[in-house]
Amino acid sequence: MRFSRRLDHLPPYLFVEISRRISAKRAQGADVISFGIGDPDLPTPAHIVDALISAARVPANHRYPETDGLPSLRRAIAHWYEARFGVSLDPDKEVLPLIGAKEGIGHAGLAFLDPGDVALVPDPAYPVYAVGTMFAGATPYYLPLREESGFLPDLRSIPPEVCRRAKVLWLNYPNNPTGATADLGFLEEAVAFCKRWDMLLLYDNCYSEVTYDGYRPPSILQVPGAKEVAVEFHSLSKTYNMTGWRIGMAVGNPSAIHALFEVKSNLDSGIPQAIQEMAIAALTGPQGYLAQRNAIYQRRRDRLVGVLRQIGLSLTPPRASLYLWARVPAGYTSGEFATMLLEEKDIVVTPGRGYGVEGEGFIRLSLTLSDEDLERAVRRLEGWRIPPRGQ
Ligand code: MLT
């Protein structure tokens, strides 16, 4: 049998590979502690789970859902955007519920790109922006995110001939994997850039509610006129500890939302309605939980930053996102350092190279493990003298 050539050049999905390594180590009897995938350890709040339990008993929810979701969910999303960002959305034209943001991000290539087109993709980045681009037969043009520029791309340095060919620009702040944030000034610059070059701005804002030190990240749609060129992806996964339930949304430019709807209606059968009811409960219910949850992550962040610095890694504590992005000691590649942590300390981190060439030299640590595991990892790391490379 012969399969699609598009799979030939695809590396294994980063977290599939990491799960495989964790399983192999555990099979040898190791007590592995993972700072790998950003998958909240804390449970979905009880009132949201209760909504699922009630909705599961309603026979109407046992049938096919509509592609564009329940009108009540679209309205709940629009109200949430108004309350959180002061952004007003037409729930029937500017909101599309998704089976997790990853579904929309992965399908965006099919909706917006043709073979031969170019997509501007940050490096390092969540791998799905580039993979979705390649699945559509288009080519990513990588925008380096460097520490000295606050991990923001330099849009002015992109050659005009690339800008003319590019149809979309991907951006993601608070950023995965670097934990960097972008202020409204940078978002204004990005919107102006996309208007100038007639590009669609695809803004992944999945981490906007995981924040520290009082920081409140903006939405791209707060930029005046952004809806002319922008779509924002959001997810309930990280906001409400709902990764397992798979629900998110795309909001913004109505033509682009409709294009995503067309791809989606042909490829999937919508979000199970009982899960849509959970999302309504999450978006319209009490929000006080978020501050308590963020305080837990903030404590973990500070504990981990302390021990990483103590063993000689350099990093800036993030103001948002689930991730610490630490520079590995001189002489190590990110893969070598991650492997050494696994071999010597039974600790899993994500090598930065997995997010692109520019991620080389860094490791990513997710804060989504229990306080007990975090403390056990801290004890393993405290006082560790990292062997100089080559010993
Ligand atoms: C991550 O760890 O990068 C994310 O949890 C992956 C995802 O959101 O799909």
Side-chain angles (χ1 to χ4, degrees), residues 74 78 88-95 227 252:
R74 296 198 306 274
S88 104
L89 294 168
D90 178 339
D92 295 327
K93 296 198 176 83
E94 296 175 340
V95 174
K227 258 192 230 169

Side-chain angles (χ1 to χ4, degrees), residues 13 15 36-39 102 126 176 207 238 323 355 364:
Y13 189 66
F15 290 105
I37 193 162
D39 186 3
K102 187 177 185 179
Y126 181 51
N176 176 15
Y207 296 95
K238 314 295 163 41
Y323 309 116
Y355 299 93
R364 193 195 80 168

